[in-house]
Amino acid sequence: MRLRAGPGWGWQGGHRGVMAHLEAMGGVSGARQGFGVRRLPSLHQGSGSNRRSPQMFLAGPEKSRCLCPAGGGKPLGTPKVIWELPLLFPRLLGTHIPAPGHAKATGIWLPGPHMAVPLARPAPRWALSAQIQPRAWKNSPGAEQTAGTRAMFNSCPSSRCATGHGDLGTLARPLRRHLFLLHPPNSAASAGEELGTRSEAPRDTRAPIAGAMAAQPSGGEKPFHIVSPVLESLSLSQAAGTKVYMKLENVQPTGSFKIRGIGHLCQEAAKKGCRRFVCSSGGNAGLAAAYAAKKLGLPVTVVVPSSTGPATVRKLEELGAEVEVSGQVWDEANRRALELAQTEGWVSVHPFDHPSVWQGHASLVRELKDSLETKPDAILLAVGGGGLLADVVAGLHQVGWQDVPIVAAETRGAHSFHAALAAGRLVSLPDITSVAKCLGAKMVAARALECAQECQVISQVVEDTEAVRAVEQFLDDERMLVQPGCGAALALLYTGRLQRLQREGRLRTPLASVVVVVCGGSSIQAAQLRALKSQLGLE
Amino acid sequence: MAAQPSGGEKPFHIVSPVLESLSLSQAAGTKVYMKLENVQPTGSFKIRGIGHLCQEAAKKGCRRFVCSSGGNAGLAAAYAAKKLGLPVTVVVPSSTGPATVRKLEELGAEVEVSGQVWDEANRRALELAQTEGWVSVHPFDHPSVWQGHASLVRELKDSLETKPDAILLAVGGGGLLAGVVAGLHQVGWQDVPIVAAETRGAHSFHAALAAGRLVSLPDITSVAKCLGAKMVAARALECAQECQVISQVVEDTEAVRAVEQFLDDKRMLVQPGCGAALALLYTGRLQRLQREGRLRTPLASVVVVVCGGSSIQAAQLRALKSQLGLE
């Protein structure tokens, strides 16, 4: 099988070459059988839509705008040299071939000038693109005007492909080039791997090409979080009996992973012209909202329950937030925050129950995919309101790791997720009796329950004592102090839960590696740890 | 991303985060960025230089490493050797705690106890390194180690938008200082002043500057054993002439208090040696230096290298505090 990745018009063998390539990669799943099988006789004879007058293609910048996800791109012009003639026939050359400068931005190596997709041209029934679902680009600058266009973008059928935007689909040559360059057929990973259908989870972010840094979902704007380190922990690995990688979210600004999702939400809201943020969390989410608002230069009001400590109130005020105390527990503060958010231009920042928050957190899994060479055998995390769980699941879908099991830890007394799973529907705990107040949501988000059906989520409940002991042991082993909520996830490793799950057969044996999300949390100090220990009666 | 000097081979250290610290900024009166070296593998910045040295030696066909440090440098050497798949012998003085010896053995190193202080252990290590194919890994006094540490400044250049007005770090043997100076030269920041902190009782650099030549302290009387080199490297003294290096000595109590305050502010536990650099911010040394005119006023931003260190635990911190008579 010869793959010609150079320029030229070799269309005759195009789809057959693609099929051969896909076969070499391990076959095509049933749903994709139609791809590449249809012939396009009209293309060779130049009949049908290709016979339309070129005026449509040379309509000028306002009519035919490039829909490159990178944005911009020169509009179609008159072909100057013979090899630019194919520009007149977008069907022949396929979709969108970004200019070299754009190629770098999108990360796909597809040389050639930009080619605009003409507007208002539905794909003919016999056309190849009809086989694959075309979808319009949400992020492109002219998207709202070209809503009727059948953009000829399709996803790469390889389940290993991390390209979020699939500029591959209608014609074989770009697809072959993509496959040839990014998914070589003789790589060990492709042997026997079936090309499944890609997940249809909404993706308005760009997943990175292998080796690149995690792409920014907010269209190139610098996010507020940092790429947190992934470190192998010897002590945790010994305790758990497998290689344990720590995703250190406690070194984020404001000390926890919340800045990812809440920063993303605030950036999106600011773009839409928000004037003020309102957040109803007295914990890490409130700090993250205050930090994001400060970075954006917008005012923020944080409504906290009266149970919040003065240290946290002081930290919020230091970050420039306006603090309002209302209610005894978080739910009452949340109600007040939603009241305030009714004001025109004020945006409510929910700590965990918002799709933008989940999208923002999903960057965590993309970074994991960049850092780790092999897929982990499990991901361990703590569940409070379910925001981290929801976005880790979203991230797993994006990078194609849907089969990685998640072990979700909670403390007894804040186990809203476990109760919801047991009841099969959302339940509200009567009260939060655990010392891990950071996990204290009486009712978990609905999305978290859906996640348990989409992916394999194993819910585990640990005792307060185990969580606090884990915090203490982690401080001694890794010299980092985390909140008891994070200690719940660490307790899974220190108390042998992993081995127990392996014995019960719920986790694979042996486990090659696991990742624990060290969510961090800033409302903890050495004195508080001592107080917790004495409160729980630990030495 | 920071360019790698070792020709494209993946280094053993990670690109550590640079975070702005509100609490430190308030204490110092200027924007303070922390370069978090305590989240490196093995818990300190040593993996940069020693990893670089070991990679170079392995390329030249080394068969075994010998390191003479019972602290972070030994752990870094053991980690690098394990990654390279080569054996390593770590010679430690008898004053090294059993926890460190255990950590070294967990990393697969062969531990040999020799001598009372580091200098005697170093002599034994140099003897062993005479063997054919065995390479001695000096904790701080080697150009490759300084080259490896220089990656720290390259990462700073990538992360920060503007040049900092000062870089604060702790000096033990002078390896970090030499590496930072080399890095400053590489990125063109030669005019950035460095404030080098030491604890009284381990102030070999300060004594050398005062005397104008290398001097050897009679003994290490500070609790910050990680800074415990009786004689600083010669290169560190040269650095003081190439760049503007302001040497500061802090008390043990200030260093330990800084460690405690940093644990409360940032929830990270560091060794007292690192606490010396943090004490500069917590005890108002920066403002004092500004008043004396040795640092610019006002300072736009400073960077403090949180060197970290793995030989510290909560119980040890309490013991240090009681030893020094702090509450």
Side-chain angles (χ1 to χ4, degrees), chain A residues 259-277:
Chain A
I259 188 62
R260 288 177 187 266
I262 290 182
H264 183 232
L265 173 70
C266 292
Q267 271 178 327
E268 283 194 349
K271 265 192 271 192
K272 293 189 192 126
C274 152
R275 284 208 319 270
R276 192 181 189 96
F277 294 112

Side-chain angles (χ1 to χ4, degrees), chain A residues 226 229 231 251 476 479 481 521 526, chain B residues 14 17 19 39 43 264 267 269 309 314:
Chain A
I226 62 169
L231 289 184
V251 297
D476 277 343
R479 302 167 308 287
L481 186 56
Chain B
I14 64 169
L19 290 184
V39 296
D264 276 343
R267 304 165 307 285
L269 188 55

Side-chain angles (χ1 to χ4, degrees), chain A residues 29-32 156-159 194-200 402:
Chain A
S29 73
R32 293 279 185 200
C156 173
S158 163
S159 59
E194 216 196 4
L195 295 172
T197 49
R198 305 217 62 207
S199 112
E200 291 304 299
Q402 299 92 321

Side-chain angles (χ1 to χ4, degrees), chain B residues 48-306:
Chain B
R48 291 177 186 268
I50 291 183
H52 185 235
L53 174 70
C54 293
Q55 271 178 326
E56 283 195 349
K59 266 192 271 193
K60 294 188 194 126
C62 150
R63 284 209 318 269
R64 193 181 189 95
F65 294 112
V66 183
C67 185
S68 67
S69 152
N72 300 305
L75 283 171
Y79 178 85
K82 179 177 170 186
K83 285 277 194 175
L84 288 167
L86 292 171
V88 59
T89 303
V90 183
V91 184
V92 300
S94 54
S95 53
T96 315
T100 316
V101 175
R102 199 178 57 237
K103 271 195 223 174
L104 287 167
E105 284 170 346
E106 280 168 11
L107 276 170
E110 226 179 78
V111 181
E112 191 184 307
V113 181
S114 159
Q116 299 268 357
V117 288
W118 174 78
D119 302 75
E120 297 171 28
N122 197 28
R123 227 173 296 143
R124 170 76 185 137
L126 291 172
E127 278 175 46
L128 286 173
Q130 303 296 326
T131 323
E132 186 65 35
W134 290 34
V135 169
S136 149
V137 176
H138 196 283
F140 53 84
D141 205 350
H142 197 283
S144 301
V145 173
W146 307 328
Q147 266 305 316
H149 291 332
S151 52
L152 200 156
V153 182
R154 288 198 295 272
E155 290 170 15
L156 272 179
K157 174 102 197 246
D158 288 336
S159 331
L160 300 174
E161 302 101 22
T162 55
K163 199 167 65 170
D165 281 330
I167 295 184
L168 280 57
L169 46 83
V171 173
L176 179 60
L177 178 64
V180 165
V181 166
L184 289 178
H185 279 292
Q186 283 178 20
V187 302
W189 282 357
Q190 297 92 325
D191 53 341
V192 175
I194 301 176
V195 185
E198 286 172 294
T199 47
R200 194 169 306 280
H203 54 284
S204 45
F205 182 60
H206 190 84
L209 277 185
R213 55 179 179 79
L214 286 181
V215 294
S216 179
L217 296 177
D219 199 12
I220 302 295
T221 52
S222 163
V223 297
K225 298 294 174 212
C226 43
L227 302 181
K230 286 196 210 166
M231 191 160 79
V232 80
R235 172 77 191 137
L237 210 50
E238 292 168 29
C239 286
Q241 281 129 25
E242 289 176 22
C243 290
Q244 183 193 359
V245 179
I246 306 168
S247 170
Q248 292 283 292
V249 180
V250 301
E251 304 298 324
D252 275 351
T253 48
E254 292 176 323
V256 172
R257 267 217 195 88
V259 168
E260 198 187 350
Q261 205 165 344
F262 192 68
L263 175 62
D264 276 343
D265 284 338
K266 295 286 153 200
R267 304 165 307 285
M268 286 186 286
L269 188 55
V270 296
Q271 288 191 242
C274 180
L278 298 169
L280 294 176
L281 295 159
Y282 281 126
T283 53
R285 290 293 181 108
L286 271 197
Q287 285 90 325
R288 198 208 300 184
L289 287 172
Q290 283 180 292
R291 279 195 306 267
E292 294 170 8
R294 300 170 78 179
L295 276 180
R296 184 199 300 194
T297 310
L299 289 166
S301 69
V302 298
V303 172
V304 61
V305 179
V306 179

